[in-house]
Amino acid sequence: MEAMRIDDTNSVEQEKFLETAVKTVKAEAFEMKRSLDKSKRMDALKHASIMLAELRTGLLTPKYYYRLYIDVVNELNHLESFLLDELEKEKKEESIAELYEHVQYAGTIIPRMYLMITVGVVYMKLMPQMRAELLNDLVEMSRGVQHPLRGLFLRHYLLQVTKSLLPDAAEGVEPAIPGSGTVRDTIDFIKLNFSEMNKLWVRQQHQGPSKEREKRERERMELRILVGTNLVRLSQLEHLTQEVYEKEVLPSILEQVVSCRDPISQEYLMECVIQVFADEFHLATLNEFLASCKELAQEVHIKNVLIALIDRLSLYVSNAVGSNIREEIQLFEIFSAQAEGLIQSRSDMPIEDIVSLHTALVSLAVKCYGEKLAYANTVFLSLANNLKDKQVEGIDMYSHAGKELIRVLRVPVDEYKDVLRVALLTDYPRAMLPLNYRGRCTASAFILQNLIDNETGLKSTDDIDAVCSLIECLLSDQPDQPEDAHDSEEFADELNLIASMIHLIKAEDRDVQFLLLNGLRKRLGAGGKWRIRKTLPPIIFSIYELALNYQQSDGDENWDMKVRKMFVCAMGTIGALITTGEMTQLPLNLYLEGAIVANRIKFSENAMVVYEFISKALSVLEDEIADSRERLSALALVTNSVLKVDCLASENWEPLVGQIILAGSKMFKKADQVRTLCSAASLYWKGKVAESEGELRNGNKVTEILKKSAKVAAQCMEPLVQQQLFVHLLNQYYYFYEDGCTVISPDVLSELISRTRDAAIQLEPSREADDIDQHLQHTLQHIRNTKDKYPELAEKLQI
Amino acid sequence: MAAFFGFGQSAEVSIKLDDEEARKLAKIRAEDGTTETHYLFYDGETVSGTVNVTLKKQNQKLEHQGIRVEFIGQIEVYYDRGNQHDFISLTKDLARPGELLQNTSFRFEFPHVEKPYESYVGTNVKLRYFLRVTIVRRLTDIVRELDLIVHTLSSYPETNSNIKMEVGIEDCLHIEFEYNKCKYHLRDVIVGKIYFLLVRIKIKYMEITIIKKESVGTGPNVFNENDTLAKYEIMDGAPVRGESIPIRLFLGGYDLTPTMRDVSKKFSVRYFLNLVLVDEEDRRYFKQQEVTLWRKPDRPPRRALETNAIRDNGEHVEEEERLSEDEEAATNKVSKAVPPHQNGENGESHEAEPVDD
């Protein structure tokens, strides 16, 4: 807070200084223009000089000085165009030369230099043959301004106003106008201006008290573009040839950068060089540039420089038309050696920097040398080794280093779009290890996500092994895994990804497919309670799916055995869900699903498998399911499954159904007993057994069970529930009656109808009562509608 | 009116030079600061013309004891006005004693007159040339004077080495400065550079001043007068070691005369380039270097641009000298330094800078 306040008062003060200065500038500019209009050139220059004297101030910070500078330069532009107009009309060579001399009488250097530049520009425009000489003169004379801020702005002005005048004619060819200069003159001019500006910029760092260091660094950053403009100008020269760049321009820039020993300047200028000059130039001077990188100050974030260069060149090379550049220049070797050397030489390099250097290298390897997996692999190996050397582990993925690490791990995944290819980078998983548990899981998760997004089919054990090697941390408990890891959303998401992965297993051969599934099952089975709950069910479904595809033996003599093996495998897997996974409902469902699937496949032992599966399901029901609601629905599922099965012999069928009825009659609530028994009754009606064709249609058994149900219903104390059950029973009876169960007599129906009708009247009015009544009315209506079919019944009921 | 009462002169005398139309005019600053314009002569030129005596009243004769014309070169020291020194005095008699009855013209000619010195108006001394016509009479002579201006021309100096010197204050400031010549004509350009060998002080700015030193008299009666004629900032801000600062100073715009040494044993006018560095505490460090100024015959072709390269003719003298501080205490200590220099500019006072010897 305090710092803010200080800054505030400071800016108020600055505004005041600026305002005063601008006022003078305005006033003198006005006088200057008036004198110009009256053709009093000397007076105009005098006013311009007073105006320019405002730029001698030492009171303003760079930001405010810049504003003042802009105002002054505007006025100078006016002066320049006015003088150009006038002198063009006069057509006298001496007048401009005299004017150029005249402004040099200014007693102070700042106004003098600005005026010299302004008049010099007019001079150059009028007499192009003087360009080379004048440019040299101006840049040399500017040496007199040694004050960093004032010098930087002066030289910036020089650079700005001469922008369109810089000679750019090819070297060695006499220019059209002798003396108008060639690109050589411009290079010399900018080289000098650049090195002088950089010196001033660096010197700025050493001015004032050391406690204001940060402020000064901030101010310097604001001014860097002034220095950088020199390099931009150089890069814009049409006739700056690669040769000149290589032999002269770059060496002199590098010399300046290295020798200034200023981290801010070094880092900025190196990046600047990378950004402004052409890729071809960079390629040609790679070694020189990199050699200089080594000589930079320790404080320079050299990795930024290197990364910028690598990124730039990898982009260029990967887009290059003739990609033989890659062969010509051992880009990868050069850069990786550089990076390694850099890391070795800077023991205090932050982890994130080490990692991001590798990121750039991986990008280069992956983007430009996609076919050379060894390159990318080397980088991961070196990254792993470097991190090992630094003894870093358990990196948080949200830390700087962690983010970088995740980034580098993503590069080949995103670029290859083929996880199997990533898996060929054998050292890749090692680079994951320094991350903490969550970080590794995240990395594995995006690998899986990529696998799924690209629908990469897994066709062999090798494929599975490859993928598993990349997602190790998702498959089993990890030493550094937090206790409650399974509670997180991420954990669930990651398991879903694994589940999705299972569906990518697509072997060409069915046997192999089973082998793969079984193999993966074993791996996943070791995942512990929380994982297998989600990962094993899809395996089981995949096995069922595979089994269904295996309906025909296709001449395979081992067919029976193979199908059986699948079910054994599925059964064992379900068993694991119960024992290790501590699940009930789902295994029960899976058993039943298995029974149905097995029933559809006509292999020799299918009846045995079906019996086993259903009995297992019943065991689960008996042993594991205590909650009555769950039991109810589970029993319904079992019942339905048995209904769908037709391969069981009576000797196997009977015990199962008996068990269902027993389970139904053991239901805790009377109402539940009634309902389960009702549905069990249908087993004897609609169920099928192996020996006989068609449904059993055992009316005696049906009525027996229904009667039993009715007895139980009668024991029900609550009138509402009882009524509900009786209506249900009525429906059941009528259903079987309608379906041709002759054992059911119309008497029974009529008794049920009258009973329910009577009870309906007795019920106290309530919402539930209404619903039940409605149900009853619908049932009766249905009976009425069908009365014509059953005259006997109609008569009995008198409807 | 005076003539009406018989007191005034009864005749007008005028001097007309022969080539007035063609002769150049020159300006000179008068004692009172105003500028006077007179005809310009060079050494050895003939001064000739006509003296016209016009009678106030026609038909009234003018009695005289003789008429003569003189060409005089004279040095006048202000503090000793009565004691003028004529270093040249040529006389021509135009008429013997007698009477003039009518307006009369007399031709005169001083052939190839030697004019060894330049006209000069200084702070304490004046050197002038003039023609004087005297009609000698019994009571009051009738006198008429005509001032002339003389410029002394020099040819291009045979030796004109550059000035190069390393100066400094031990462990504090070492610079090497270089002026391209030691002799400059009045419309010349001083080109040079300052090279910083050691900088341990925070310099605020650096300037060059042109100082004119006029000394009059001899022995114990010397009157010195220093005048700063130009002040020219050549550097803004603090340089570091290795910086080289260019100098380019056009002389044409300043009011300068040629250097005059021991003119007729009466006075000297000499010029010095004073290099002054001012640090952030406003202490001044300076080094004065005499340069010879001379007048070149023709206006030289002007060129606004002068290369910064300093011609090195191998004759320059290299010597190390100590830079003076503009401070009495300091200058006293630095015995080898240039003669004590009174800060004649604005009398700023400065904190003493201890010199570590």
PDB file of all heavy atoms in Angstrom, chain B residues 144-159:
ATOM      1  N   ARG B 144      40.576  67.817 -38.813  1.00  0.00           N
ATOM      2  CA  ARG B 144      39.572  66.851 -39.315  1.00  0.00           C
ATOM      3  C   ARG B 144      40.224  65.464 -39.309  1.00  0.00           C
ATOM      4  O   ARG B 144      41.312  65.274 -39.830  1.00  0.00           O
ATOM      5  CB  ARG B 144      39.188  67.255 -40.739  1.00  0.00           C
ATOM      6  CG  ARG B 144      38.279  66.317 -41.427  1.00  0.00           C
ATOM      7  CD  ARG B 144      36.855  66.517 -40.925  1.00  0.00           C
ATOM      8  NE  ARG B 144      36.071  65.326 -41.154  1.00  0.00           N
ATOM      9  CZ  ARG B 144      34.833  65.178 -40.676  1.00  0.00           C
ATOM     10  NH1 ARG B 144      34.299  66.139 -39.948  1.00  0.00           N
ATOM     11  NH2 ARG B 144      34.182  64.099 -40.919  1.00  0.00           N
ATOM     12  N   GLU B 145      39.529  64.518 -38.696  1.00  0.00           N
ATOM     13  CA  GLU B 145      40.081  63.150 -38.659  1.00  0.00           C
ATOM     14  C   GLU B 145      39.180  62.181 -39.407  1.00  0.00           C
ATOM     15  O   GLU B 145      37.955  62.334 -39.419  1.00  0.00           O
ATOM     16  CB  GLU B 145      40.228  62.662 -37.205  1.00  0.00           C
ATOM     17  CG  GLU B 145      41.339  63.360 -36.471  1.00  0.00           C
ATOM     18  CD  GLU B 145      41.530  62.863 -35.047  1.00  0.00           C
ATOM     19  OE1 GLU B 145      40.774  61.937 -34.640  1.00  0.00           O
ATOM     20  OE2 GLU B 145      42.415  63.377 -34.354  1.00  0.00           O
ATOM     21  N   LEU B 146      39.795  61.152 -39.976  1.00  0.00           N
ATOM     22  CA  LEU B 146      39.015  60.076 -40.612  1.00  0.00           C
ATOM     23  C   LEU B 146      39.594  58.738 -40.172  1.00  0.00           C
ATOM     24  O   LEU B 146      40.743  58.425 -40.446  1.00  0.00           O
ATOM     25  CB  LEU B 146      39.082  60.204 -42.146  1.00  0.00           C
ATOM     26  CG  LEU B 146      38.355  59.098 -42.896  1.00  0.00           C
ATOM     27  CD1 LEU B 146      36.838  59.225 -42.744  1.00  0.00           C
ATOM     28  CD2 LEU B 146      38.725  59.113 -44.375  1.00  0.00           C
ATOM     29  N   ASP B 147      38.775  58.004 -39.447  1.00  0.00           N
ATOM     30  CA  ASP B 147      39.227  56.685 -38.972  1.00  0.00           C
ATOM     31  C   ASP B 147      39.248  55.666 -40.106  1.00  0.00           C
ATOM     32  O   ASP B 147      38.373  55.667 -40.972  1.00  0.00           O
ATOM     33  CB  ASP B 147      38.300  56.161 -37.874  1.00  0.00           C
ATOM     34  CG  ASP B 147      38.718  56.684 -36.513  1.00  0.00           C
ATOM     35  OD1 ASP B 147      38.292  57.803 -36.161  1.00  0.00           O
ATOM     36  OD2 ASP B 147      39.473  55.970 -35.815  1.00  0.00           O
ATOM     37  N   LEU B 148      40.250  54.841 -40.066  1.00  0.00           N
ATOM     38  CA  LEU B 148      40.351  53.743 -41.026  1.00  0.00           C
ATOM     39  C   LEU B 148      40.447  52.455 -40.219  1.00  0.00           C
ATOM     40  O   LEU B 148      40.871  52.465 -39.058  1.00  0.00           O
ATOM     41  CB  LEU B 148      41.606  53.882 -41.885  1.00  0.00           C
ATOM     42  CG  LEU B 148      41.770  55.205 -42.634  1.00  0.00           C
ATOM     43  CD1 LEU B 148      43.140  55.233 -43.309  1.00  0.00           C
ATOM     44  CD2 LEU B 148      40.670  55.375 -43.671  1.00  0.00           C
ATOM     45  N   ILE B 149      40.081  51.398 -40.838  1.00  0.00           N
ATOM     46  CA  ILE B 149      40.235  50.097 -40.160  1.00  0.00           C
ATOM     47  C   ILE B 149      41.276  49.298 -40.912  1.00  0.00           C
ATOM     48  O   ILE B 149      41.292  49.297 -42.154  1.00  0.00           O
ATOM     49  CB  ILE B 149      38.908  49.328 -40.109  1.00  0.00           C
ATOM     50  CG1 ILE B 149      37.956  50.040 -39.145  1.00  0.00           C
ATOM     51  CG2 ILE B 149      39.115  47.879 -39.670  1.00  0.00           C
ATOM     52  CD1 ILE B 149      36.604  49.421 -39.018  1.00  0.00           C
ATOM     53  N   VAL B 150      42.152  48.677 -40.173  1.00  0.00           N
ATOM     54  CA  VAL B 150      43.175  47.865 -40.813  1.00  0.00           C
ATOM     55  C   VAL B 150      43.026  46.418 -40.367  1.00  0.00           C
ATOM     56  O   VAL B 150      42.856  46.138 -39.173  1.00  0.00           O
ATOM     57  CB  VAL B 150      44.580  48.391 -40.449  1.00  0.00           C
ATOM     58  CG1 VAL B 150      45.656  47.397 -40.892  1.00  0.00           C
ATOM     59  CG2 VAL B 150      44.813  49.740 -41.061  1.00  0.00           C
ATOM     60  N   HIS B 151      43.024  45.573 -41.315  1.00  0.00           N
ATOM     61  CA  HIS B 151      43.044  44.138 -41.009  1.00  0.00           C
ATOM     62  C   HIS B 151      44.398  43.590 -41.407  1.00  0.00           C
ATOM     63  O   HIS B 151      44.863  43.833 -42.515  1.00  0.00           O
ATOM     64  CB  HIS B 151      41.967  43.387 -41.802  1.00  0.00           C
ATOM     65  CG  HIS B 151      40.613  43.514 -41.168  1.00  0.00           C
ATOM     66  ND1 HIS B 151      39.459  43.067 -41.786  1.00  0.00           N
ATOM     67  CD2 HIS B 151      40.211  44.041 -39.980  1.00  0.00           C
ATOM     68  CE1 HIS B 151      38.417  43.301 -41.010  1.00  0.00           C
ATOM     69  NE2 HIS B 151      38.844  43.902 -39.892  1.00  0.00           N
ATOM     70  N   THR B 152      44.988  42.872 -40.519  1.00  0.00           N
ATOM     71  CA  THR B 152      46.261  42.249 -40.889  1.00  0.00           C
ATOM     72  C   THR B 152      45.981  40.837 -41.374  1.00  0.00           C
ATOM     73  O   THR B 152      45.289  40.052 -40.724  1.00  0.00           O
ATOM     74  CB  THR B 152      47.194  42.157 -39.676  1.00  0.00           C
ATOM     75  OG1 THR B 152      46.479  41.534 -38.617  1.00  0.00           O
ATOM     76  CG2 THR B 152      47.638  43.523 -39.238  1.00  0.00           C
ATOM     77  N   LEU B 153      46.509  40.579 -42.546  1.00  0.00           N
ATOM     78  CA  LEU B 153      46.277  39.270 -43.131  1.00  0.00           C
ATOM     79  C   LEU B 153      47.490  38.391 -42.923  1.00  0.00           C
ATOM     80  O   LEU B 153      48.619  38.875 -42.929  1.00  0.00           O
ATOM     81  CB  LEU B 153      46.000  39.395 -44.619  1.00  0.00           C
ATOM     82  CG  LEU B 153      44.772  40.224 -44.977  1.00  0.00           C
ATOM     83  CD1 LEU B 153      44.659  40.345 -46.484  1.00  0.00           C
ATOM     84  CD2 LEU B 153      43.517  39.599 -44.399  1.00  0.00           C
ATOM     85  N   SER B 154      47.221  37.129 -42.727  1.00  0.00           N
ATOM     86  CA  SER B 154      48.339  36.200 -42.629  1.00  0.00           C
ATOM     87  C   SER B 154      48.152  35.147 -43.700  1.00  0.00           C
ATOM     88  O   SER B 154      47.032  34.882 -44.131  1.00  0.00           O
ATOM     89  CB  SER B 154      48.372  35.500 -41.283  1.00  0.00           C
ATOM     90  OG  SER B 154      48.227  36.431 -40.255  1.00  0.00           O
ATOM     91  N   SER B 155      49.222  34.575 -44.083  1.00  0.00           N
ATOM     92  CA  SER B 155      49.081  33.450 -45.003  1.00  0.00           C
ATOM     93  C   SER B 155      48.967  32.197 -44.148  1.00  0.00           C
ATOM     94  O   SER B 155      49.194  32.198 -42.937  1.00  0.00           O
ATOM     95  CB  SER B 155      50.286  33.371 -45.932  1.00  0.00           C
ATOM     96  OG  SER B 155      51.457  33.322 -45.165  1.00  0.00           O
ATOM     97  N   TYR B 156      48.604  31.128 -44.799  1.00  0.00           N
ATOM     98  CA  TYR B 156      48.402  29.894 -44.075  1.00  0.00           C
ATOM     99  C   TYR B 156      49.668  29.515 -43.338  1.00  0.00           C
ATOM    100  O   TYR B 156      50.741  29.492 -43.903  1.00  0.00           O
ATOM    101  CB  TYR B 156      48.002  28.798 -45.057  1.00  0.00           C
ATOM    102  CG  TYR B 156      47.438  27.599 -44.354  1.00  0.00           C
ATOM    103  CD1 TYR B 156      46.070  27.538 -44.054  1.00  0.00           C
ATOM    104  CD2 TYR B 156      48.258  26.561 -43.963  1.00  0.00           C
ATOM    105  CE1 TYR B 156      45.552  26.457 -43.401  1.00  0.00           C
ATOM    106  CE2 TYR B 156      47.740  25.471 -43.298  1.00  0.00           C
ATOM    107  CZ  TYR B 156      46.383  25.420 -43.018  1.00  0.00           C
ATOM    108  OH  TYR B 156      45.866  24.340 -42.355  1.00  0.00           O
ATOM    109  N   PRO B 157      49.546  29.261 -42.046  1.00  0.00           N
ATOM    110  CA  PRO B 157      50.752  28.984 -41.261  1.00  0.00           C
ATOM    111  C   PRO B 157      51.505  27.765 -41.793  1.00  0.00           C
ATOM    112  O   PRO B 157      50.879  26.788 -42.220  1.00  0.00           O
ATOM    113  CB  PRO B 157      50.230  28.708 -39.865  1.00  0.00           C
ATOM    114  CG  PRO B 157      48.766  28.709 -39.933  1.00  0.00           C
ATOM    115  CD  PRO B 157      48.333  29.176 -41.254  1.00  0.00           C
ATOM    116  N   GLU B 158      52.796  27.871 -41.765  1.00  0.00           N
ATOM    117  CA  GLU B 158      53.591  26.769 -42.315  1.00  0.00           C
ATOM    118  C   GLU B 158      53.484  25.519 -41.451  1.00  0.00           C
ATOM    119  O   GLU B 158      53.323  24.422 -41.924  1.00  0.00           O
ATOM    120  CB  GLU B 158      55.061  27.193 -42.440  1.00  0.00           C
ATOM    121  CG  GLU B 158      55.333  27.902 -43.736  1.00  0.00           C
ATOM    122  CD  GLU B 158      56.714  28.501 -43.766  1.00  0.00           C
ATOM    123  OE1 GLU B 158      57.611  27.937 -43.107  1.00  0.00           O
ATOM    124  OE2 GLU B 158      56.893  29.533 -44.429  1.00  0.00           O
ATOM    125  N   THR B 159      53.605  25.722 -40.203  1.00  0.00           N
ATOM    126  CA  THR B 159      53.381  24.575 -39.320  1.00  0.00           C
ATOM    127  C   THR B 159      52.105  24.823 -38.556  1.00  0.00           C
ATOM    128  O   THR B 159      51.862  25.917 -38.053  1.00  0.00           O
ATOM    129  CB  THR B 159      54.527  24.428 -38.307  1.00  0.00           C
ATOM    130  OG1 THR B 159      54.609  25.629 -37.554  1.00  0.00           O
ATOM    131  CG2 THR B 159      55.834  24.147 -38.986  1.00  0.00           C
TER     132      THR B 159
END
